[in-house]
Amino acid sequence: MKRLFSFLAALSLLAGAAAADGLAAEAKAFPTSVSLSWNHVEGAEYYDIYNGDKALARLGSDAASYTAEHLLSDTAYDFCVAARGSGNEDIDADWIEVRTTSWDGVYEWLNRTGNDNKGKLKSLRFRIQTAVDPVYGQYYETFMVSDEGKEYRIFPLFPFGSDMAGRWIDYDDQSPAGIAYRLNAERFNKSSFTPSRWRVDKIEIDSDSTSAYIQTSAFGISVTTNTSYSLYMEDGQAMMKFETTGSGIANAAIFRNPNPGEGDAFILKRIQP
């Protein structure tokens, strides 16, 4: 680690003294990634990439770009691209400060068919809001927006660390979590099967996705569904992939995306930042 800090200090001096035609890096920010690009430097055999004092990659002499992934959104980062020779000597370096953007906003899917689960899914809207938990770190609160414009938080259904997680909840429960779960479940349930109770078994959080595993029970039969929200960029547009899969009979009861060419998952486009 001492050698690394010594090297970074040398790079800082190099960057300050670099000529106009020396190594110059550029950055393009996204919510959870940053794309770096740079010009070729004569004599460079390697390009070392750093995020602050953390070494990310060593690339060959032909490399001219690198994407740092799994970053926090709306967060400042300090990247370094360093050119090094065949003897591992320092040639030139450039530091670049960049701030990631945000996934926050309203996302919408429109049904382009007449198959709308008995009128329940003509459209679909979610609002994403960045939040931070002291244990889990950064995550994305997800709100379902009703046709009337009212919002219901569907992820997380319970605050992290709540003793309600893992408990069985009656299907007609009138708490905010109970109402949100029921309204969401009814929109995607294409069968006449109505659960009698449900519980959150597990949640998973990644830099640009979340998943909730929920167990439902009725008439002595229990099934598990996994609802996931994945955020990504496509042609400069923020997108969301929303999908619910299930085990056993639940799999056949889930309404899936009817739009041709889009697959089973619902693909939503951000319409409001």
Side-chain angles (χ1 to χ4, degrees):
M1 184 60 70
K2 290 182 179 179
R3 293 177 60 190
L4 174 60
F5 279 111
S6 176
F7 172 54
L8 290 175
L11 291 182
S12 181
L13 293 174
L14 277 170
D21 58 351
L23 192 152
E26 296 183 350
K28 187 173 183 179
F30 302 97
T32 51
S33 65
V34 169
S35 293
L36 301 169
S37 60
W38 57 89
N39 59 297
H40 177 72
V41 176
E42 185 177 354
E45 292 292 327
Y46 309 103
Y47 293 97
D48 291 331
I49 315 300
Y50 290 85
N51 175 6
D53 59 8
K54 180 182 178 182
L56 297 180
R58 164 163 283 193
L59 307 176
S61 59
D62 293 335
S65 63
Y66 177 82
T67 299
E69 300 179 319
H70 304 293
L71 305 177
L72 298 176
S73 65
D74 193 21
T75 300
Y77 288 93
D78 195 7
F79 289 98
C80 175
V81 179
R84 310 196 76 184
S86 57
N88 219 29
E89 71 273 15
D90 306 334
I91 296 178
D92 202 350
D94 193 17
W95 291 90
I96 185 166
E97 296 180 0
V98 61
R99 190 175 191 90
T100 52
T101 57
S102 172
W103 291 120
D104 290 8
V106 177
Y107 295 73
E108 182 182 61
W109 168 85
L110 296 176
N111 192 335
R112 296 186 281 108
T113 76
N115 180 11
D116 55 14
N117 197 21
K118 300 178 181 179
K120 292 184 287 186
L121 269 176
K122 296 181 181 295
S123 65
L124 188 61
R125 280 192 178 191
F126 292 117
R127 185 175 68 84
I128 293 295
Q129 177 176 293
T130 303
V132 178
D133 181 83
V135 175
Y136 289 90
Q138 189 178 92
Y139 69 99
Y140 304 103
E141 286 187 298
T142 305
F143 299 83
M144 183 182 71
V145 184
S146 71
D147 294 338
E148 297 76 28
K150 189 171 182 179
E151 294 187 350
Y152 302 87
R153 191 177 75 174
I154 57 176
F155 185 89
L157 284 168
F158 301 110
F160 297 133
S162 169
D163 59 2
M164 295 301 296
R167 290 190 182 185
W168 286 105
I169 309 296
D170 290 338
Y171 187 72
D172 59 357
D173 180 74
Q174 294 300 307
S175 69
I179 295 172
Y181 168 79
R182 184 168 57 257
L183 293 176
N184 187 61
E186 289 174 350
R187 297 187 76 182
F188 295 95
N189 185 1
K190 65 180 183 180
S191 73
S192 58
F193 174 84
T194 300
S196 58
R197 56 181 187 162
W198 59 275
R199 71 180 184 187
V200 178
D201 278 350
K202 181 176 65 171
I203 60 172
E204 295 176 342
I205 300 174
D206 202 350
S207 62
D208 50 12
S209 65
T210 55
S211 295
Y213 294 81
I214 295 181
Q215 187 175 1
T216 59
S217 177
F219 309 112
I221 301 175
S222 294
V223 296
T224 299
T225 57
N226 173 23
T227 298
S228 61
Y229 313 87
S230 301
L231 299 160
Y232 64 98
M233 299 295 297
E234 184 175 275
D235 299 328
Q237 172 72 54
M239 308 287 288
M240 171 193 280
K241 179 182 178 182
F242 169 78
E243 186 173 21
T244 298
T245 57
S247 64
I249 60 174
N251 197 51
I254 297 170
F255 183 80
R256 292 178 170 82
N257 186 354
N259 287 344
E262 294 184 3
D264 289 342
F266 295 87
I267 307 301
L268 296 86
K269 179 186 296 187
R270 185 165 64 181
I271 61 170
Q272 296 176 18

